[in-house]
Amino acid sequence: MSLKKGDTIFFENCPSITGFATVGGKKESEGPLAEEFDCICVDTRMGEECWEKAESAYQRSAVEKALNKAGITLGDIDYLFAGDLQNQCTASAYTVRDLDVQFAGLYGACSTMAESLSLASSFVGSGICNRAMALTSSHFCAAERTFRTPLEYGGQRTPTAQWTVTAAGAVVVSAQGGAPYVKSVTLGHIRDFGIIDINNMGAAMAPAAAETILRYFADSGKKPIDFDHIYTGDLGLVGSTLLQEILKQEGVTLPNYSDCGMLIYDRLRQDVGAGGSGCGCSAAVLCAHILPEVQSGVMKNVLFVATGALMSPVTFMQGESIPGIAHLVHISSQK
Amino acid sequence: MSLKKGDTIFFENCPSITGFATVGGKKESEGPLAEEFDCICVDTRMGEECWEKAESAYQRSAVEKALNKAGITLGDIDYLFAGDLQNQCTASAYTVRDLDVQFAGLYGACSTMAESLSLASSFVGSGICNRAMALTSSHFCAAERTFRTPLEYGGQRTPTAQWTVTAAGAVVVSAQGGAPYVKSVTLGHIRDFGIIDINNMGAAMAPAAAETILRYFADSGKKPIDFDHIYTGDLGLVGSTLLQEILKQEGVTLPNYSDCGMLIYDRLRQDVGAGGSGCGCSAAVLCAHILPEVQSGVMKNVLFVATGALMSPVTFMQGESIPGIAHLVHISSQK
């Protein structure tokens, strides 16, 4: 049912993405993709008493909408793969507490949309189950509290810093169904080039993105020109520039390339530094922008390469550098 | 290659556990299982400058020993599934940074040994890959700092509190090989019975353990008497008593039942409150005690049910109750 060549799993019976949805917040409602979200909730508290609970509310909303679009109920989902940026991944745990479903908790930092989609596709594509869901989210205010300083502190942001997206994305993967299809998945290796500036995550993640992309091309025999578009997760301005420089040194140029962190906001007008970031960044762009274009056939083949920085505030204070990882999913309009 | 019935994946070609190892710390060296560890490092700093880095050193040591026992090198491992208790799962990330392997990061709290073993077995058992590794750890000092109070504070412990085990466990799952075999895996659903006392994790996790065990019996048609032994992960004295009460209400008694948290320490002599806990608790008992007995044929069939409490200190302070989860693995001496 699947063939592993090198680091890539190629599906013989490609799983179908039968439902997908994303719900964003106020800042996202002011960005260039605002119209493409399934729902915008400008109250970033979602009526909850704290941002952490609000993040779960964004997730719940995305799950409901994805199930609706797939025309199924939660009982039709065999496995839910989910994770987020909160300590102990509690946004996902408290979402899934209210859902009666088999749950595998993940931590892939901002790469979680691709990690969860890879595992869900692997379970469906290898015949283990019929349907699985991939879910992730991030929330600007919860992430600032977790990783940086309390919002009330009003810390100055550096130009390389990125803005954590407030959004959740949910994807239903099914054994039967139409386009988009998941053709293959490539889980990444951790790479650490010694970046210690936690306000420059893009630079920390770029080497891992380059590595995964190069491995995929080696495994598949495909070239950048075989794809309508290649998307990375949240490298931002600095990281996406670095990625292209690294790839150029390897003789690879990406003619149709964008970073989700550069698409979700109007970087200068919205004053978001080097761009968007967070699990919700690539999740939102995948569900709002990429999947609809593949579903409609406007794009035939895309690579979705979500990137994650795997440090914590504790390891930062202990002087550690920032390890990065990137997972890749080939999504196609044809089986 | 596998058949999903209800919540359980039954493998037609049962994956083999070809290597497994656990490395423990000082407190573990004073417990009843001390002689069964592959290695004990009484310097719980492992020569590192902080506990967090020491936890990665325990993991690296367990990985090396498991690979050696399997007679393979890291290059033979297709996927590494790992997670831990540190914020952003950094013990695993910084271990894997030094390992050139495809990595899927997990967060299942103290259920991670069963979650990682379930996913590794699913990938191998469904034919996606030939070999995968499951890895997890916990460290008493790192966990106290993450979840409770700094050690220097010297907080009084309540009788229901448990002692986080300092240990790492690594398991190699292969498509070919001898006993032990993974016959089936059952990922859990989250259950929350409203426990808000973070010094009583056992009570918070017991309902999820009961649920997963009952689902497994329903899916498999088996009975407790079909197993030489049934192990839960870290329910401790309070949780394991509660589990048996809940099961009794459902008409199920477990004649041969132990909790790993009750086995790893001499509870009263070592003054560990209600018993051991942490990802490393069930990982250590699995690798030091359970797998050798199944490998040698002393035990023919066991259920390994690791349990996790999915709260964080932030959700606790926000008044949230503690969601629990339990994942089950059926391990057998026969294919």
Side-chain angles (χ1 to χ4, degrees):
Chain A
M1 305 284 269
S2 65
L3 170 72
K4 188 168 193 284
K5 188 177 169 210
D7 280 5
T8 303
I9 304 169
F10 297 93
F11 299 111
E12 291 180 17
N13 295 316
C14 296
S16 167
I17 294 175
T18 54
F20 50 88
T22 182
V23 182
K26 181 167 185 293
K27 190 111 180 165
E28 293 67 37
S29 76
E30 298 159 354
L33 302 186
E35 296 298 317
E36 304 183 29
F37 279 78
D38 292 86
C39 177
I40 290 281
C41 298
V42 292
D43 169 18
T44 48
R45 281 245 168 110
M46 290 285 274
E48 300 284 349
E49 60 196 353
C50 58
W51 299 311
E52 286 75 12
K53 290 186 184 180
E55 189 174 338
S56 294
Y58 276 100
Q59 282 197 0
R60 276 194 296 274
S61 179
V63 167
E64 280 169 23
K65 287 171 177 36
L67 290 172
N68 282 344
K69 285 167 78 174
I72 58 173
T73 64
L74 185 70
D76 297 314
I77 297 291
D78 295 309
Y79 292 102
L80 176 56
F81 296 91
D84 57 272
L85 292 174
Q86 288 183 21
N87 290 344
Q88 285 71 51
C89 302
T90 46
S92 304
Y94 285 92
T95 300
V96 181
R97 180 179 66 175
D98 298 331
L99 306 175
D100 197 14
V101 65
Q102 286 189 276
F103 173 56
L106 308 182
Y107 186 76
C110 307
S111 74
T112 304
M113 190 69 251
E115 185 187 353
S116 58
L117 184 54
S118 294
L119 293 182
S121 300
S122 297
F123 265 54
V124 173
S126 65
I128 295 175
C129 68
N130 279 323
R131 283 196 200 85
M133 179 177 272
L135 171 67
T136 192
S137 66
S138 53
H139 192 298
F140 175 79
C141 305
E144 287 294 301
R145 176 143 74 186
T146 303
F147 288 96
R148 297 179 190 92
T149 54
L151 289 186
E152 296 81 351
Y153 177 74
Q156 185 81 10
R157 301 172 71 84
T158 72
T160 57
Q162 295 173 237
W163 191 278
T164 305
V165 169
T166 299
V171 177
V172 177
V173 180
S174 304
Q176 278 88 36
Y181 298 101
V182 177
K183 299 282 280 187
S184 69
V185 299
T186 314
L187 290 184
H189 298 229
I190 292 180
R191 287 295 175 262
D192 187 334
F193 276 26
I195 303 290
I196 55 167
D197 179 0
I198 53 163
N199 289 307
N200 193 358
M201 301 287 200
M205 299 186 290
E211 168 106 7
T212 301
I213 290 170
L214 291 171
R215 282 180 188 270
Y216 169 74
F217 286 137
D219 294 344
S220 66
K222 291 187 186 291
K223 297 191 172 69
I225 204 166
D226 293 327
F227 297 91
D228 298 279
H229 218 92
I230 296 170
Y231 297 90
T232 49
D234 60 345
L235 295 179
L237 179 65
V238 179
S240 58
T241 306
L242 272 174
L243 168 67
Q244 291 174 92
E245 285 178 15
I246 297 170
L247 290 176
K248 202 171 177 184
Q249 288 173 5
E250 302 291 331
V252 174
T253 55
L254 304 181
N256 297 306
Y257 165 66
S258 304
D259 182 69
C260 298
M262 299 286 285
L263 295 173
I264 196 161
Y265 298 127
D266 184 327
R267 202 172 58 77
L268 298 176
R269 180 176 58 78
Q270 291 187 275
D271 192 20
V272 294
S277 69
C279 303
C281 176
S282 58
V285 177
L286 177 72
C287 296
H289 184 68
I290 302 173
L291 292 176
E293 298 232 321
V294 180
Q295 191 171 44
S296 68
V298 171
M299 293 196 292
K300 290 194 169 50
N301 286 287
V302 300
L303 295 182
F304 174 68
V305 192
T307 43
L310 298 174
M311 83 303 154
S312 79
V314 170
T315 62
F316 162 67
M317 287 190 287
Q318 291 171 347
E320 269 290 10
S321 54
I322 304 171
I325 197 160
H327 306 298
L328 179 151
V329 184
H330 173 195
I331 301 166
S332 177
S333 63
Q334 290 168 324
K335 208 162 185 171
Chain B
M1 304 284 272
S2 66
L3 172 71
K4 189 166 193 284
K5 188 179 169 205
D7 280 5
T8 304
I9 304 168
F10 297 93
F11 299 111
E12 291 181 16
N13 295 315
C14 297
S16 167
I17 294 176
T18 54
F20 50 88
T22 181
V23 182
K26 183 167 183 291
K27 190 108 179 168
E28 293 67 38
S29 76
E30 298 159 352
L33 301 187
E35 297 296 318
E36 302 182 33
F37 278 78
D38 291 85
C39 177
I40 291 281
C41 298
V42 291
D43 168 17
T44 46
R45 280 244 169 110
M46 290 284 275
E48 300 283 349
E49 60 196 350
C50 60
W51 300 312
E52 286 74 13
K53 290 185 183 181
E55 189 173 338
S56 294
Y58 276 99
Q59 282 197 0
R60 277 193 295 274
S61 180
V63 168
E64 281 170 22
K65 287 171 177 37
L67 290 173
N68 282 342
K69 287 167 79 175
I72 58 173
T73 64
L74 184 71
D76 297 315
I77 297 291
D78 295 310
Y79 292 102
L80 175 57
F81 295 91
D84 57 90
L85 292 174
Q86 288 183 21
N87 289 343
Q88 285 72 50
C89 303
T90 46
S92 303
Y94 284 92
T95 299
V96 182
R97 180 179 63 174
D98 299 332
L99 306 175
D100 196 14
V101 65
Q102 287 188 275
F103 173 57
L106 307 181
Y107 187 77
C110 306
S111 75
T112 305
M113 190 71 251
E115 184 187 352
S116 58
L117 184 54
S118 294
L119 294 183
S121 300
S122 297
F123 264 55
V124 172
S126 65
I128 295 175
C129 69
N130 279 321
R131 284 196 199 84
M133 179 177 271
L135 170 69
T136 192
S137 66
S138 53
H139 192 299
F140 175 78
C141 305
E144 287 294 299
R145 175 145 73 187
T146 303
F147 287 97
R148 295 177 191 94
T149 55
L151 289 186
E152 295 81 351
Y153 178 75
Q156 185 81 12
R157 301 172 71 83
T158 72
T160 56
Q162 295 172 238
W163 190 279
T164 305
V165 170
T166 299
V171 177
V172 177
V173 180
S174 304
Q176 278 88 38
Y181 299 101
V182 177
K183 300 281 279 186
S184 69
V185 299
T186 314
L187 290 184
H189 299 228
I190 293 179
R191 286 295 174 262
D192 187 334
F193 276 28
I195 304 290
I196 55 167
D197 178 0
I198 54 162
N199 290 306
N200 193 0
M201 300 287 198
M205 298 186 289
E211 168 107 6
T212 302
I213 290 170
L214 291 171
R215 281 179 188 269
Y216 169 74
F217 286 138
D219 295 343
S220 66
K222 292 188 184 294
K223 296 192 172 66
I225 202 165
D226 294 325
F227 297 90
D228 297 279
H229 217 95
I230 295 170
Y231 297 90
T232 48
D234 59 344
L235 295 179
L237 179 64
V238 179
S240 58
T241 305
L242 272 174
L243 169 67
Q244 290 173 91
E245 286 178 13
I246 297 170
L247 289 177
K248 201 172 177 182
Q249 289 174 4
E250 303 291 330
V252 173
T253 56
L254 305 181
N256 298 306
Y257 164 66
S258 304
D259 182 69
C260 298
M262 299 289 283
L263 295 173
I264 196 160
Y265 298 127
D266 184 329
R267 202 172 58 78
L268 298 176
R269 180 175 58 77
Q270 292 187 273
D271 192 20
V272 294
S277 68
C279 304
C281 176
S282 59
V285 176
L286 177 72
C287 295
H289 184 69
I290 302 172
L291 291 176
E293 299 231 320
V294 180
Q295 191 170 44
S296 68
V298 171
M299 293 197 293
K300 289 195 170 49
N301 286 287
V302 300
L303 295 182
F304 173 69
V305 193
T307 41
L310 298 174
M311 85 299 156
S312 78
V314 170
T315 61
F316 162 68
M317 287 189 289
Q318 291 171 346
E320 269 291 8
S321 54
I322 304 172
I325 196 160
H327 306 299
L328 180 151
V329 184
H330 172 195
I331 301 167
S332 176
S333 63
Q334 291 169 324
K335 207 158 186 174

